[in-house]
Amino acid sequence: MTAQSPVRWTDPEQQELEERVAAAELAWLTMDVDVQTLRVEIDNFALIHHQLLGPLYARLDELDALVAEALAARTGLPEDLRQAAEARRRVDELPDLDALFDTVREQEDAPPPPAAPARVRPGRDAQRVYRELVRRAHPDLTTDPAEQELRAAFLIRVNEAYAFGDTGALETLAAEWSTAPEAAPAVDSPDRLGWLRLRLEWLTGRIGGLAAEQVRLERTAMGELLALAPQDPDRLLEELAEQLLAKAAAQQAELERLLGAPATVGDNGGADPDAQENQTMFAQIPTIDAAGVPADAALLDVREQDEWDAGHVDGALHIPIGEVVARIGELPDGKLYVLCRVGGRSAQVVQYLVQNGRDAVNVDGGMYAWDGAGRPMVSSGGQQAFVL
């Protein structure tokens, strides 16, 4: 019979804290990734939303102002005149979105200027915390290259805070270092239990901060809009475009009614010249029936990959709607005929391209109309092509 080794005693409180800290670290890292991903998704959605739908919103705001002005001219009522002036003011105050996004891109591309630290003499408290941090976190205290790199990066932040004499920032860094995994005492160290308590408190605070940031992002205008279709934001944009186009058509009809049903553009037809001058100057989105698209036309398909794979026009250029803005340089010169499934997404892209000086035409009815007109299609896998 062999003697059994004695079972090592483990402090139950420490064991519980070890498990809670491990679980909190996993939750913190998972939530951090989720929040960062949400922030990127909202930023990207906001950019595409403003660039593709911005012209439609501007067109609708202009129509609203024209309708209000036409009504005020007809009634002369003070309230109608006030509302007309307010509607026109909203149009005049619209920001230049193209200039805004160009400025943002320039700021993203340009390296940030180095911040010049204020010439201050750090106080005694700052000096004390700084010396303690350097003593505990100096890279030379370890021989592990990875940990040396982490310590060096940490000390850069410490030196920056000290350069500004920021005692509060130094104390925050000290608290962070005292609970960082790199500073953890050994499992059998008498200091381990105290470190676990501090680490759990620090992780709980970080998780709470991330949760608050997630709620803030979700409650932004773009966050709430994206939440309506988080798995298919492109088709959400298509639906929004169709709603805006329908509302614009209704406002156009109301404007024509108020102006006395003016003649069509280019035909005076004896219409009142004053009414002609007050007509909206927004042209309709250039549109063509699927049957009328020339055989040698340059086609742009803005559907998603699965839709393209199911059935598309041979020789068409495929750029999903969410990538059009970033890949606009890939578009060929000359007239471009834009396709999607039913014509909503392609209408957005045509509006955007026209606003940017490109010659673009929307294929009315999209691929459904193309298929209905008997125009040829192919699939990516060689099977029978169909419209998805």
Side-chain angles (χ1 to χ4, degrees), residues 364-386:
D364 192 26
M367 287 300 296
Y368 275 128
W370 185 276
D371 187 32
R375 307 292 298 261
M377 295 189 305
V378 297
S379 67
S380 297
Q383 68 273 22
Q384 181 69 31
F386 66 97

Side-chain angles (χ1 to χ4, degrees), residues 286-304:
T287 303
I288 190 173
D289 292 333
V293 178
D296 60 348
L299 296 172
L300 170 64
D301 192 322
V302 297
R303 296 175 299 157
E304 297 305 303

Side-chain angles (χ1 to χ4, degrees), residues 5-224:
S5 300
V7 177
R8 181 179 177 181
W9 180 82
T10 303
D11 185 345
E13 182 184 1
Q14 179 173 330
Q15 181 63 33
E16 179 187 359
L17 279 173
E18 295 278 4
E19 294 171 355
R20 291 177 62 186
V21 166
E25 286 179 341
L26 178 59
W28 168 50
L29 292 173
T30 301
M31 182 171 286
D32 185 56
V33 171
D34 289 344
V35 170
Q36 295 299 333
T37 301
L38 178 61
R39 183 179 291 108
V40 169
E41 288 177 348
I42 289 177
D43 288 346
N44 289 340
F45 181 74
L47 180 64
I48 300 299
H49 175 274
H50 287 308
Q51 289 187 315
L52 292 181
L53 298 188
L56 294 179
Y57 282 115
R59 176 184 176 194
L60 188 57
D61 285 337
E62 176 68 18
L63 283 170
D64 288 343
L66 289 170
V67 167
E69 290 166 349
L71 180 62
R74 173 169 291 192
T75 66
L77 295 175
E79 179 60 20
D80 289 342
L81 291 170
R82 187 194 66 78
Q83 291 185 5
E86 178 68 18
R88 178 55 59 189
R89 183 186 63 78
R90 285 196 296 269
V91 172
D92 292 341
E93 291 180 356
L94 284 175
D96 184 348
L97 291 178
D98 289 335
L100 174 64
F101 285 115
D102 287 343
T103 301
V104 171
R105 292 191 191 94
E106 290 172 2
Q107 291 175 348
E108 290 176 347
D109 295 339
R119 295 186 176 278
V120 297
R121 179 175 177 80
R124 290 187 176 181
D125 286 341
Q127 294 176 24
R128 174 183 55 78
V129 179
Y130 175 73
R131 291 195 193 97
E132 180 65 16
L133 271 173
V134 173
R135 183 184 66 79
R136 291 163 51 199
H138 199 282
D140 291 346
L141 295 176
T142 179
T143 58
D144 179 38
E147 187 175 341
Q148 285 180 336
E149 185 176 349
L150 289 173
R151 287 170 174 261
F154 180 78
L155 281 186
I156 290 175
R157 297 164 60 198
V158 172
N159 290 332
E160 181 180 0
Y162 187 64
F164 284 93
D166 192 339
T167 304
L170 287 169
E171 289 176 344
T172 300
L173 289 167
E176 178 181 336
W177 183 258
S178 68
T179 60
E182 294 84 5
V187 176
D188 56 355
S189 169
D191 298 329
R192 179 74 177 185
L193 193 61
W195 177 86
L196 286 170
R197 294 193 186 102
L198 290 174
R199 179 68 175 167
L200 185 59
E201 181 181 356
W202 183 84
L203 288 168
T204 302
R206 284 301 181 94
I207 291 171
L210 286 171
E213 176 65 5
Q214 181 174 350
V215 171
R216 186 194 68 78
L217 289 170
E218 291 173 346
R219 289 182 177 176
T220 61
M222 286 296 110
E224 291 181 347

Side-chain angles (χ1 to χ4, degrees), residues 249-295:
Q251 287 296 75
Q252 177 70 46
E254 175 65 8
L255 179 63
E256 292 177 358
R257 185 189 70 79
L258 290 170
L259 296 175
T264 57
V265 176
D267 179 13
N268 290 334
D272 181 1
D274 292 334
Q276 288 282 6
E277 290 178 1
N278 282 298
Q279 291 183 61
T280 176
M281 298 305 293
F282 283 106
Q284 298 294 324
I285 293 175
T287 303
I288 190 173
D289 292 333
V293 178

Side-chain angles (χ1 to χ4, degrees), residues 344-374:
R345 281 171 284 177
S346 54
Q348 298 173 61
V349 173
V350 168
Q351 184 78 9
Y352 171 71
L353 294 176
V354 169
Q355 289 286 330
N356 283 272
R358 304 298 295 265
D359 188 2
V361 180
N362 186 37
V363 179
D364 192 26
M367 287 300 296
Y368 275 128
W370 185 276
D371 187 32

